[in-house]
Amino acid sequence: AQKVTQAQTEISVVEKEDVTLDCVYETRDTTYYLFWYKQPPSGELVFLIRRNSFDEQNEISGRYSWNFQKSTSSFNFTITASQVVDSAVYFCALSEPFKAGKSTFGDGTTLTVKP
Amino acid sequence: DTGVSQNPRHKITKRGQNVTFRCDPISEHNRLYWYRQTLGQGPEFLTYFQNEAQLEKSRLLSDRFSAERPKGSFSTLEIQRTEQGDSAMYLCASSSPIPGQGAEYEQYFGPGTRLTVT
């Protein structure tokens, strides 16, 4: 069975601090996809990034970066120089390509960035 | 607006009543997913369509729940004889039919329908 664990329930930082959100996953599949989504107070889940299991290159997009380490089954997300607008719930998800692509989500990390 | 839309956004109903939600996916997406999200939890998979075919249902989807996608475009999710435990946000997502390095598994979510059963 697939499982995604986001151990940090809530994180609070002051604006301009860097923050890392942890994600650990479990799967028996050799091919899978990992995702991060942002859910702002408005409620709509916003796709941030996709990573497939064969690509362990880290990725940077502006202030966002992702660290995928297959050896530790982790896919961590770092926000550099956080801003108040980054306040949201962030979800990590794992998708099974051979099982309809349905996603298993973690329970999310609530990030609060204070001015 | 070409995103995923859901109606209604909010629904309050009394226990025992039937409710129906609608989801309109992004027009060129042939895959459509329903998820349920309760407070403090991540979305949980309910069911999935490819075109009009319902290909998978979670065991979370009891026999009181039924989903359809009759013409392969919009989808409806009906809950019969609602119970207080059905109170949740019901999310719809769609994904692209274009295969390529996992892009077909990027799911674009609608704003959700918040159901409150009193």
Side-chain angles (χ1 to χ4, degrees):
Chain A
Q2 298 201 329
K3 187 177 179 182
V4 176
T5 301
Q6 295 180 253
Q8 305 148 309
T9 305
E10 295 183 13
I11 299 176
S12 181
V13 298
V14 176
E15 206 169 18
K16 298 184 183 176
E17 284 185 18
D18 299 347
V19 58
T20 295
L21 310 181
D22 297 333
C23 172
V24 174
Y25 62 92
E26 296 175 28
T27 180
R28 292 181 181 177
D29 294 324
T30 54
T31 301
Y32 51 89
Y33 297 93
L34 295 162
F35 301 84
W36 276 95
Y37 291 88
K38 175 181 180 180
Q39 189 172 42
S42 60
E44 191 161 336
L45 279 159
V46 177
F47 166 82
L48 295 178
I49 189 172
R50 175 191 81 245
R51 174 66 67 210
N52 77 51
S53 53
F54 298 111
D55 181 3
E56 289 194 69
Q57 265 193 323
N58 292 329
E59 182 159 340
I60 298 174
S61 176
R63 296 184 297 108
Y64 296 169
S65 62
W66 291 269
N67 184 319
F68 175 32
Q69 292 198 341
K70 216 167 174 179
S71 60
T72 55
S73 297
S74 65
F75 185 42
N76 296 337
F77 172 30
T78 297
I79 301 175
T80 303
S82 59
Q83 299 177 0
V84 173
V85 293
D86 295 328
S87 297
V89 183
Y90 290 87
F91 290 97
C92 181
L94 173 66
S95 184
E96 307 170 68
F98 302 114
K99 295 183 181 177
K102 69 181 184 183
S103 291
T104 300
F105 285 77
D107 285 337
T109 296
T110 301
L111 173 65
T112 302
V113 181
K114 298 177 181 177
Chain B
D1 184 15
T2 57
V4 178
S5 62
Q6 291 186 247
N7 288 289
R9 294 292 306 276
H10 303 273
K11 179 72 178 179
I12 300 174
T13 191
K14 291 184 178 179
R15 189 178 54 180
Q17 297 294 305
N18 298 344
V19 293
T20 300
F21 311 140
R22 176 175 169 133
C23 170
D24 288 89
I26 294 172
S27 58
E28 62 268 26
H29 287 185
N30 70 342
R31 298 182 183 193
L32 187 147
Y33 304 79
W34 285 99
Y35 290 84
R36 180 172 68 187
Q37 186 179 20
T38 52
L39 199 62
Q41 309 259 316
E44 296 175 291
F45 172 80
L46 292 178
T47 190
Y48 152 77
F49 289 85
Q50 179 152 315
N51 299 313
E52 64 275 9
Q54 187 175 19
L55 297 185
E56 188 166 347
K57 292 169 60 172
S58 163
R59 60 179 180 274
L60 291 174
L61 216 65
S62 75
D63 56 5
R64 297 184 298 105
F65 288 71
S66 63
E68 294 182 346
R69 195 182 182 198
K71 298 181 180 178
S73 56
F74 72 91
S75 175
T76 57
L77 178 68
E78 180 183 16
I79 309 174
Q80 296 182 327
R81 305 180 304 281
T82 52
E83 301 172 356
Q84 287 185 323
D86 297 331
S87 295
M89 177 77 86
Y90 289 85
L91 297 168
C92 176
S94 67
S95 68
S96 168
I98 302 173
Q101 301 179 3
E104 65 271 36
Y105 304 114
E106 286 176 23
Q107 296 176 16
Y108 294 85
F109 283 82
T113 294
R114 182 169 295 285
L115 173 65
T116 302
V117 182
T118 61

